């Protein structure tokens, strides 16, 4: 297992375009999280899944954002009508157990630049 | 709500110096505490954790003790190396809050030879 994989690594898009990111968690991990990290800040929680169920969404996640995890495996995060304020690193993490005591494994992130 | 405050960087040290990064938290509930490290160009990695009061987490020469009375989880290392140059994030997790992590703003550490 090569860990949590995120694609693409970098995305440059024009304002108003839609973008979609993919996250492949560690195969046996049942929890999957999305975070957003802006320059010089710590990651901020966006949403998480337990298997295929999306259990919580942050208030940071506007209506332009949607996330899915079909079949409880990989996940996609889509941003519609991108804005310059969406420019950030989008991080995905997965964990094995519901307590998270084994820690989370983070992917390397997708860096989005909206021009 | 839950929040984490850590000292602002950058922290610049010479090799073999002692490192302390302060971290304090507020939490509704009983949190587990974590330190994550982000090396240049890499993703976040779990450095150490503590899940209850007075627990000491340790890894790679780093230590942090969960102090409930002072709501703190300061990170220390007795003798840093150039390879310890990175950004360090303190974080907490409260089970009742869905197990999501709440991070501090990060502290950049630069170790010079």
């Amino acid at each position: 297992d090569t860990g949590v994989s995120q694609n693409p690594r970098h995305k440059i898009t024009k304002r108003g375009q839609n973008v979609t990111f993919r996250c492949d968690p560690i195969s046996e991990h049942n929890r999957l999280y999305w975070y957003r990290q802006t320059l010089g800040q710590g990651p901020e929680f966006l949403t998480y899944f337990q298997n295929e169920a999306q259990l919580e969404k942050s208030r940071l996640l506007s209506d332009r954002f949607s996330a899915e995890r079909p079949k409880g495996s990989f996940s996609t995060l889509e941003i519609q009508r991108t804005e310059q304020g969406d420019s950030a690193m989008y991080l995905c993490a997965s964990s094995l157990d519901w307590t998270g005591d084994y820690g989370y494994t983070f992917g390397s992130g997708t860096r989005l630049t909206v021009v | 709500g839950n929040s984490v405050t850590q000292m602002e960087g950058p922290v610049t040290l010479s090799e073999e110096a002692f490192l302390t990064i302060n971290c304090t938290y507020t939490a509704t509930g009983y949190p587990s505490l974590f330190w994550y490290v982000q090396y240049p160009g890499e993703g976040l990695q779990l450095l150490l954790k503590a899940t209850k009061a007075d627990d000491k987490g340790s890894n790679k020469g780093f230590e942090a003790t969960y102090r409930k009375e002072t709501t703190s989880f300061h990170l220390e290392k007795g003798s840093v190396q150039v390879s310890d140059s990175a950004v360090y994030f303190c974080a907490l997790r409260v089970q009742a809050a869905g197990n999501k992590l709440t991070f501090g703003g990060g502290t950049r550490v630069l170790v010079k030879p």
Side-chain angles (χ1 to χ4, degrees):
Chain A
D1 199 332
T2 56
V4 177
S5 176
Q6 292 189 246
N7 289 288
R9 291 294 302 273
H10 303 275
K11 178 70 176 178
I12 300 174
T13 190
K14 291 183 178 179
R15 189 174 52 188
Q17 297 295 304
N18 300 343
V19 294
T20 300
F21 312 140
R22 177 177 170 127
C23 171
D24 288 273
I26 293 174
S27 56
E28 63 268 28
H29 284 188
N30 56 355
R31 286 214 165 192
L32 186 149
Y33 300 80
W34 285 98
Y35 289 81
R36 180 171 67 188
Q37 185 178 19
T38 53
L39 201 61
Q41 301 297 316
E44 296 174 296
F45 169 78
L46 293 178
T47 187
Y48 85 93
F49 293 83
Q50 170 90 12
N51 300 313
E52 67 276 10
Q54 187 174 18
L55 297 186
E56 187 175 347
K57 294 170 61 174
S58 163
R59 284 172 289 183
L60 293 174
L61 216 63
S62 75
D63 291 344
R64 297 184 296 106
F65 288 70
S66 62
E68 295 182 341
R69 193 184 181 195
K71 303 179 182 178
S73 56
F74 71 92
S75 176
T76 58
L77 178 67
E78 181 183 17
I79 308 175
Q80 296 182 328
R81 305 181 303 282
T82 52
E83 302 173 356
Q84 287 190 325
D86 297 331
S87 295
M89 177 75 84
Y90 290 84
L91 299 171
C92 176
S94 66
S95 68
L96 175 61
D97 68 325
W98 69 275
T99 66
D101 280 346
Y102 290 102
Y104 303 80
T105 301
F106 279 86
S108 296
T110 294
R111 181 169 296 284
L112 173 66
T113 302
V114 181
V115 298
Chain B
N2 302 324
S3 67
V4 176
T5 303
Q6 58 182 108
M7 60 189 289
E8 291 189 17
V11 175
T12 303
L13 303 164
S14 297
E15 210 165 19
E16 298 184 2
F18 185 88
L19 170 68
T20 300
I21 303 176
N22 290 339
C23 170
T24 57
Y25 67 89
T26 58
T28 54
Y30 194 53
S32 295
L33 302 173
F34 304 83
W35 277 100
Y36 280 82
V37 59
Q38 190 170 34
Y39 298 104
E42 299 184 15
L44 284 163
Q45 301 175 26
L46 178 64
L47 181 59
L48 53 84
K49 66 181 176 76
T51 57
K52 61 182 187 295
D54 300 325
D55 269 2
K56 177 185 285 188
S58 61
N59 186 26
K60 298 182 181 180
F62 290 88
E63 292 184 342
T65 301
Y66 188 142
R67 300 289 188 197
K68 187 178 180 183
E69 63 277 10
T70 55
T71 62
S72 64
F73 193 53
H74 304 322
L75 182 69
E76 297 181 336
K77 186 173 185 181
S79 177
V80 294
Q81 305 300 312
V82 172
S83 57
D84 294 324
S85 297
V87 182
Y88 294 81
F89 294 93
C90 185
L92 68 81
R93 173 184 61 79
V94 177
Q95 286 189 18
N99 283 315
K100 57 183 179 287
L101 290 166
T102 300
F103 287 88
T107 302
R108 181 175 298 278
V109 173
L110 178 60
V111 181
K112 296 185 174 180

